[in-house]
Amino acid sequence: MRRRRQHQPIRSPAPTGAAAASRAFTLLEIIMALAIVVLIVGAATPEISSMLLAERLKAPARELEAMAITARCNALAEQRPYQIILQQDGFRLERLGSGKETGVVVDFELSGDVAIEIANWPEEKWHRPKQHIWYFPPSGLCEPIRVMFRKGDSYYLQKYSAITGWNQEESFFIR
């Protein structure tokens, strides 16, 4: 019986000289590619920072909206009053009445550079609350209020309904 011999492919030696230079990138090509990458990253950076700022302003607004919905629904369901206390450094939801089940339900603290401002109805004047009580009686009705979360010139504004206590309208400006 004869064995067949397997042939290995013949490898060509590594190119040298001009052939080797044609397979590599020149310094000019590398610098041009890096310049294009820097331009793309530079153009995307303002958009990313705007998105991050918008999210920093929307997060407390969503939390306040959830608290307002919870306060109204619980006040109606339990037939007991709730309140949201708005302060310069944050806000909290409290259950009112008598018994063990009173007190703070949820507490939210604003990040250091985000400020809260409110405008009561029928006023149009914005102010930073030292302590504003937004009351939710068992009837489910509450005062209409406008709340703005601000950082520098950027803001996120919400307008809450007196009948439902829900966010009726929102607007924002990000710089």
Side-chain angles (χ1 to χ4, degrees):
M1 187 170 194
R2 275 179 111 183
R3 281 187 160 174
R4 287 190 181 181
R5 189 171 187 187
Q6 291 182 342
H7 296 283
Q8 301 226 349
I10 301 173
R11 293 187 187 148
S12 60
T16 59
S22 67
R23 288 190 350 174
F25 293 109
T26 65
L27 182 59
L28 181 61
E29 290 171 328
I30 293 171
I31 290 173
M32 291 300 289
L34 286 175
I36 291 170
V37 168
V38 166
L39 285 174
I40 291 171
V41 169
T45 300
E47 292 298 321
I48 292 170
S49 64
S50 293
M51 287 176 19
L52 292 174
L53 177 58
E55 192 55 38
R56 289 188 72 185
L57 295 174
K58 285 181 185 179
R62 284 192 299 262
E63 186 67 28
L64 181 61
E65 184 174 3
M67 277 188 195
I69 292 168
T70 300
R72 180 177 182 269
C73 291
N74 288 356
L76 284 167
E78 298 172 12
Q79 285 299 293
R80 66 188 301 170
Y82 278 73
Q83 67 185 12
I84 296 175
I85 298 179
L86 302 160
Q87 297 174 311
Q88 291 181 358
D89 61 346
F91 42 91
R92 68 180 179 271
L93 173 62
E94 292 182 351
R95 182 183 296 120
L96 303 176
S98 60
K100 295 179 186 177
E101 297 179 4
T102 61
V104 176
V105 178
V106 181
D107 195 1
F108 185 85
E109 189 174 324
L110 293 171
S111 64
D113 54 351
V114 174
I116 185 171
E117 296 179 18
I118 63 171
N120 302 55
W121 185 83
E123 297 175 16
E124 294 295 321
K125 185 179 177 188
W126 290 96
H127 65 280
R128 292 194 65 192
K130 289 184 181 173
Q131 181 167 323
H132 178 82
I133 296 175
W134 189 13
Y135 185 70
F136 293 81
S139 66
L141 298 177
C142 64
E143 78 174 297
I145 191 171
R146 291 184 303 148
V147 181
M148 182 185 320
F149 296 95
R150 178 183 294 277
K151 180 177 185 226
D153 293 336
S154 302
Y155 65 85
Y156 191 83
L157 171 69
Q158 293 177 307
K159 180 180 176 184
Y160 288 90
S161 166
I163 296 172
T164 63
W166 290 14
N167 182 12
Q168 269 185 319
E169 186 180 313
E170 56 189 24
S171 60
F172 62 92
F173 174 75
I174 306 296
R175 180 176 288 186

